[in-house]
Amino acid sequence: MKKTISIIGSGFSALAASCYLAQQGHAITIYEKNDSIGGRARQFKSNGFTFDMGPSWYWMPDVFERFFNDFDKSQSDYYELLKLNPAYRVYFGINDFINIYDNLEAIKSTFENVEKGSGQKLQTFINQAKSNYDIAIKDLVYRPGISPLELITPKTILKLNQFLSNVSSDIRKEFKSERLIQILEFPVLFLGAKPSNTPSFYNFMNYADFGLGTWHPKTGMFDVVRGIEKLALELGVTIKTNSSIEKIIVENKTATAIIIDGKTIKSDIVLSGADYQHTETLLEKEYRVYSENYWEKRVFAPSSLLFFVGFDKKIENITHHALFFDVDFNQHAADIYDDPKWPEAPLFYANFPSKTDSTAAPDGMETGFFLIPLAPGINDSEALREKYFEKIITRFEQITQQKIKNNIIFKKSFCKNDFVADYNAYKGNAYGMANTLLQTAFLRPKLKSKKVRNLYFTGQLTVPGPGVPPALISGKLVAELIQKSLRS
């Protein structure tokens, strides 16, 4: 039976869900509070520069392909991909760096040059990571997080010990070089927790990195948003921007409508791809499943201080993606998770999309994106933002041996207060809720409300977790759950 479904938000999970639900034959309308779609993956342009505002790493291309295949399409029908080589560079000091290339054999050689015997150890480690990837990404993450029994399969029983140990300890058993350890621990940071608090099973992220490689949509990550939007429109989805939801109407314990600008919009089903905690504040208290105390006790992935910078010249000695690990990795992690505060010496990430995409900046110029991970809920002010920009840009100049400060002709910052204002993000989190052992699968907030019929959720605070590929999967899972409920 055809239903009228209102979807709140237009991030990856909401867009994906809209496609699956439209495919099922329902009438779908997406309501986005901002003036453009994409959620955290929005894009903006200024002074001839183009900036992706959020996700910038394209990993797990198989998940994107699987999404489009569900509609008898291919990723290549909607956007072009380029494989980066090197995938990224990790700096440890002045002109002191390690390149991660686009194939495992080259990466093994790099490891061997740093630590004798580590090349073969890396092969063994990646073989294990691939095994976990095949179990997790091809099977487990496509389960709705309803029951712990979803995690119990003949294959996962054999890997039980990997849920009881952690990524950091496993890596340190095999590798001695602190540099190689940091490179191997880096991918799980996308899951939102310290490597020492992330179950070993999640080393499948290392296969996503070294095994599948780092890609870049030809003109930026917003190509993916545009591609899914095009698919959604082809399927009959309606998208409305500048539409901020004021309230979800519940009658007889059933979601029946949403209110936008004082106007009531009747809905058979309401699906929120917005921040989960914020969505529940749109309900009367009696209908909220998770209390403020619940959210306060969760382990959230970091917030971020972002800088979008336009330079009037080409930047040298840098790759498309670059990680600056020239300071204490563990201390910065402690400043995020253990004793939340602004880090004295922050690690940071720099991204120069114009190294790959000539349309991202005017001729002879460069588009730069800088990110410092921060504790969620941290104090945010313009003075602090400027202080930290000065810290990282000074280090950038020293490490890459060039002057660039006087070549900045555009700069915009984005931090905790903006994540709250633009995305209603709890504590200004950037990546959702961390995938720790006690926040995995059925232990995460549910896709379906326990108190309100016909109210559903999708996105990085629910199943399967943070990241763009998991967001696409979340959209599929909730659409399947809705279809199943309608059949019963």
Side-chain angles (χ1 to χ4, degrees):
M1 182 185 297
K2 182 176 181 178
K3 298 292 183 181
T4 298
I5 301 177
S6 294
I7 298 180
I8 304 171
S10 66
F12 280 115
S13 57
L15 286 171
S18 77
C19 293
Y20 287 109
L21 291 168
Q23 184 186 48
Q24 293 168 12
H26 305 298
I28 312 299
T29 303
I30 291 175
Y31 298 94
E32 166 57 52
K33 74 181 286 288
N34 294 309
D35 59 8
S36 65
I37 65 165
R40 286 166 168 80
R42 289 183 299 160
Q43 183 187 78
F44 80 94
K45 299 183 179 184
S46 183
N47 295 54
F49 299 98
T50 300
F51 299 95
D52 285 321
M53 295 185 67
S56 57
W57 293 80
Y58 192 104
W59 278 6
M60 305 184 188
D62 52 321
V63 174
F64 293 86
E65 183 63 18
R66 181 168 172 176
F67 167 76
F68 286 107
N69 288 171
D70 284 341
F71 303 92
D72 296 322
K73 302 287 187 178
S74 174
Q75 158 267 309
S76 60
D77 294 331
Y78 292 91
Y79 54 91
E80 183 180 343
L81 281 180
L82 306 170
K83 194 173 188 183
L84 300 183
N85 189 30
Y88 55 93
R89 176 177 291 178
V90 185
Y91 284 93
F92 298 97
I94 296 174
N95 272 333
D96 179 9
F97 58 83
I98 292 176
N99 282 332
I100 300 301
Y101 293 101
D102 68 346
N103 66 90
L104 184 57
E105 288 305 313
I107 298 169
K108 283 164 57 179
S109 295
T110 298
F111 270 52
E112 190 66 28
N113 289 336
V114 175
E115 179 183 314
K116 189 171 177 58
S118 65
Q120 185 53 50
K121 288 181 178 179
L122 179 62
Q123 182 67 67
T124 301
F125 184 79
I126 296 299
N127 289 345
Q128 178 67 69
K130 182 182 186 304
S131 172
N132 290 354
Y133 188 91
D134 289 342
I135 294 170
I137 304 303
K138 296 180 181 179
D139 184 12
L140 290 185
V141 294
Y142 285 91
R143 301 186 182 198
I146 295 172
S147 164
L149 296 178
E150 293 173 6
L151 298 179
I152 301 174
T153 71
K155 290 181 179 178
T156 57
I157 288 173
L158 294 175
K159 293 181 177 288
L160 181 61
N161 66 313
Q162 292 191 42
F163 287 94
L164 302 176
S165 59
N166 65 72
V167 167
S168 184
S169 64
D170 282 8
I171 290 171
R172 290 172 185 275
K173 285 176 188 174
E174 300 297 330
F175 302 90
K176 303 306 175 190
S177 165
E178 197 61 34
R179 296 181 177 201
L180 299 185
I181 288 169
Q182 288 182 8
I183 289 171
L184 288 169
E185 287 183 341
F186 153 67
V188 301
L189 296 178
F190 284 109
L191 302 174
K194 290 197 299 185
S196 58
N197 289 338
T198 303
S200 299
F201 183 74
Y202 283 102
N203 69 17
F204 64 71
M205 292 295 292
N206 291 104
Y207 175 71
D209 180 1
F210 292 174
L212 297 176
T214 300
W215 301 75
H216 185 70
K218 188 175 181 180
T219 61
M221 286 294 288
F222 199 67
D223 283 2
V224 189
V225 175
R226 275 192 291 251
I228 301 176
E229 175 194 32
K230 185 172 185 291
L231 173 62
L233 295 175
E234 289 169 353
L235 292 165
V237 174
T238 299
I239 301 175
K240 296 185 177 182
T241 55
N242 297 306
S243 301
S244 184
I245 313 299
E246 297 165 9
K247 189 174 183 179
I248 298 172
I249 302 297
V250 178
E251 298 173 349
N252 298 320
K253 297 183 179 180
T254 302
T256 60
I258 55 176
I259 296 179
I260 300 175
D261 295 329
K263 181 181 178 182
T264 300
I265 299 170
K266 292 288 186 182
S267 308
D268 295 315
I269 293 170
V270 175
L271 167 60
S272 179
D275 182 275
Y276 204 121
Q277 182 271 343
H278 167 72
T279 302
E280 287 212 313
T281 68
L282 302 176
L283 298 163
E284 299 293 342
K285 278 193 175 181
E286 63 187 293
Y287 298 122
R288 299 173 192 173
V289 175
Y290 302 102
S291 66
E292 183 62 30
N293 186 51
Y294 170 87
W295 294 113
E296 184 64 36
K297 290 182 177 179
R298 296 311 96 187
V299 178
F300 272 80
S303 184
S304 295
L305 170 55
L306 309 173
F307 294 102
F308 308 101
V309 186
F311 298 92
D312 67 3
K313 71 171 186 177
K314 286 294 183 183
I315 308 301
E316 300 175 352
N317 307 327
I318 198 70
T319 54
H320 184 122
H321 294 295
L323 303 167
F324 289 79
F325 286 179
D326 55 307
V327 297
D328 191 333
F329 184 103
N330 294 321
Q331 182 58 54
H332 190 161
D335 292 340
I336 294 174
Y337 297 103
D338 303 334
D339 180 21
K341 60 185 177 185
W342 282 83
E344 186 60 34
L347 285 80
F348 68 96
Y349 156 65
N351 168 29
F352 294 89
S354 46
K355 291 292 182 188
T356 303
D357 170 20
S358 62
T359 69
D363 288 347
M365 300 187 186
E366 206 86 87
T367 296
F369 170 102
F370 298 83
L371 181 153
I372 302 174
L374 296 173
I378 205 166
N379 180 43
D380 175 19
S381 70
E382 286 300 322
L384 280 167
R385 296 184 190 195
E386 284 307 305
K387 175 183 176 181
Y388 277 80
F389 183 74
E390 184 64 25
K391 279 178 182 277
I392 64 170
I393 210 70
T394 297
R395 276 172 43 210
F396 184 94
E397 287 188 330
Q398 292 170 346
I399 291 167
T400 63
Q401 296 287 280
Q402 62 190 311
K403 296 293 184 182
I404 63 171
K405 289 180 190 176
N406 294 335
N407 298 99
I408 295 171
I409 58 174
F410 175 82
K411 178 161 72 77
K412 173 185 173 69
S413 66
F414 196 95
C415 197
K416 190 262 297 189
N417 291 346
D418 301 301
F419 280 101
V420 173
D422 286 12
Y423 310 126
N424 295 307
Y426 183 71
K427 290 188 175 181
N429 79 83
Y431 309 105
M433 209 165 78
N435 260 336
T436 62
L437 181 60
L438 297 178
Q439 294 182 171
T440 293
F442 66 96
L443 296 173
R444 297 180 71 81
K446 303 301 182 186
L447 292 165
K448 183 178 182 180
S449 173
K450 293 179 180 178
K451 292 187 176 181
V452 180
R453 288 187 292 272
N454 296 345
L455 175 61
Y456 295 83
F457 301 84
T458 187
Q460 57 189 6
L461 266 67
T462 182
V463 181
V468 178
L472 295 180
I473 294 168
S474 187
K476 178 174 184 172
L477 292 176
V478 76
E480 290 175 344
L481 201 59
I482 289 171
Q483 189 73 343
K484 183 178 179 181
S485 296
L486 292 174
R487 286 172 178 160
S488 60

